[in-house]
């Protein structure tokens, strides 16, 4: 048996072949592959978590299932809080896949890069981001990976939709929310250069107005920022 045959013979190899026959590979990250296609005539995204070779197989399977469940739970929880996310359709535990609604639109990262937004649209988008994160945080949910690629603007109604809840968790601790905001700040400044800092400030202002718990969170955020700067200076 060749090395390729051996790979195909593993469960994940079989699952990969099965998905590849029906769906198109959209992207491949460190821990997940994203496929697109349709399910019962609806546009879907299939997010497949794959194993880390260095982890013990049994432990790995357990971790994968628990992260899969957590991701779906967090999406449902966000939706209950009035935050738009893709609708989860089904979870295939054996194949470590989540089937969810495919959002038609562009990521916020792409929109900001194109610089094609009118000033008023840009303002509306930044305010929507601040309000959306405030809703999540006030509801006790931390996103865990707040980057501009994990936010999309839906074509049909221009609504902001959050995706990628793979690192989300429940927390009401100001430190956790502050770190979430710090990740967002870093994402704005690294992906969108100087303009990013000003954009983040506008988002933060909208967050402050929308969040009932803004005071504790923003005090903590100032500390997290300071720690970040010190770390950057030390190198
Ligand atoms: N529901 C969706 N609708 C449209 N596009 C999506 C959807 N889910 C994911 N995508 C696209 O696939 C890309 C990768 O998906 P996602 O961010 O969920 O995975 P990831 O970053 O690889 O995962 P993780 O950070 O959990 O390891 C997104 O940036 C987006 O372009
Ligand atoms: Mg992502």
């Amino acid at each position: 048996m060749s090395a390729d045959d051996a790979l195909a013979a593993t469960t994940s190899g079989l699952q990969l072949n099965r998905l590849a026959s029906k769906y198109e590979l959209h992207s491949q990250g460190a821990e997940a592959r994203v496929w697109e296609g349709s399910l019962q005539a609806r546009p879907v995204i299939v997010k497949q978590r794959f194993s880390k070779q260095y982890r013990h197989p049994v432990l790995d399977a357990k971790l994968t299932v628990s992260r899969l469940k957590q991701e779906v739970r967090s999406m449902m929880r966000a939706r209950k809080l009035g935050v738009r996310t893709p609708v989860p359709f089904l979870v295939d535990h054996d194949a470590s896949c989540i089937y969810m609604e495919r959002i038609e639109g562009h990521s916020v990262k792409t929109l900001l890069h194109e610089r094609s937004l009118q000033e008023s649209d840009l303002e509306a988008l930044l305010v929507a981001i601040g309000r959306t994160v405030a809703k999540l945080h006030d509801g006790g949910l931390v996103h865990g990976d707040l980057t501009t690629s994990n936010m999309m603007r839906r074509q049909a109604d221009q609504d902001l939709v959050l995706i990628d809840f793979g690192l989300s968790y429940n927390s009401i601790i100001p430190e956790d929310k502050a770190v979430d905001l710090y990740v967002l700040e870093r994402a704005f400044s690294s992906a969108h250069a100087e303009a990013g800092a000003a954009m983040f400030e506008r988002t933060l202002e909208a967050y402050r107005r929308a969040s009932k718990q803004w005071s504790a969170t923003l005090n903590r955020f100032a500390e997290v920022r300071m720690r970040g700067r010190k770390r950057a200076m030390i190198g």
Side-chain angles (χ1 to χ4, degrees):
M1 192 154 77
S2 74
D4 279 350
D5 290 343
L7 178 70
T10 62
T11 336
S12 80
L14 286 175
Q15 279 150 1
L16 189 62
N17 290 343
R18 212 160 41 215
L19 280 168
S21 68
K22 283 204 276 182
Y23 299 96
E24 213 169 297
L25 189 63
H26 172 283
S27 63
Q28 160 126 27
E31 299 198 9
R33 266 181 217 107
V34 172
W35 305 82
E36 59 186 330
S38 55
L39 181 71
Q40 292 167 351
R42 279 180 297 200
V44 290
I45 284 285
V46 186
K47 187 164 173 182
Q48 178 192 37
R49 292 209 163 272
F50 47 81
S51 26
K52 291 265 186 190
Q53 294 305 323
Y54 59 80
R55 282 201 298 241
H56 186 279
V58 175
L59 174 67
D60 187 79
K62 276 193 183 157
L63 266 177
T64 306
V65 168
S66 78
R67 285 199 57 190
L68 218 59
K69 282 188 187 160
Q70 184 58 26
E71 185 162 357
V72 175
R73 233 181 259 137
S74 300
M75 280 164 91
M76 303 296 287
R77 177 139 186 204
R79 295 176 65 77
K80 276 204 194 116
L81 296 170
V83 169
R84 290 169 184 81
T85 78
V87 180
F89 290 146
L90 69 93
V91 179
D92 180 343
H93 288 252
D94 296 329
S96 314
C97 288
I98 302 172
Y99 290 68
M100 66 181 98
E101 172 193 13
R102 186 166 85 218
I103 305 299
E104 311 288 351
H106 293 291
S107 75
V108 169
K109 185 173 188 172
T110 305
L111 290 170
L112 296 182
H113 269 292
E114 283 175 354
R115 295 170 178 274
S116 56
L117 291 180
Q118 305 240 320
E119 184 52 33
S120 59
D121 283 348
L122 175 63
E123 181 64 23
L125 185 63
L126 298 173
V127 167
I129 296 171
R131 285 188 183 152
T132 300
V133 178
K135 261 188 217 165
L136 269 194
H137 285 180
D138 282 14
L141 190 63
V142 169
H143 183 275
D145 193 13
L146 275 183
T147 62
T148 47
S149 6
N150 287 336
M151 302 170 177
M152 298 184 68
R153 192 174 68 166
R154 185 160 43 205
Q155 191 81 54
D157 52 13
Q158 311 284 296
D159 275 349
L160 183 78
V161 182
L162 287 195
I163 63 166
D164 198 356
F165 286 79
L167 295 172
S168 301
Y169 60 99
N170 300 340
S171 173
I172 53 164
I173 301 169
E175 167 82 15
D176 293 337
K177 300 180 195 172
V179 170
D180 223 19
L181 289 174
Y182 188 62
V183 169
L184 183 61
E185 179 175 40
R186 304 295 304 192
F188 264 109
S189 54
S190 67
H192 312 289
E194 302 98 78
M199 288 191 242
F200 177 74
E201 287 308 322
R202 286 153 84 183
T203 298
L204 197 61
E205 178 57 22
Y207 178 96
R208 194 182 64 76
R209 286 172 192 266
S211 169
K212 292 193 182 70
Q213 293 137 23
W214 65 271
S215 168
T217 311
L218 294 193
N219 279 333
R220 201 66 196 200
F221 177 59
E223 285 175 36
V224 172
R225 247 179 178 172
M226 210 106 78
R227 288 205 307 256
R229 289 208 183 116
K230 273 195 200 131
R231 214 174 302 128
M233 276 192 309
I234 294 163

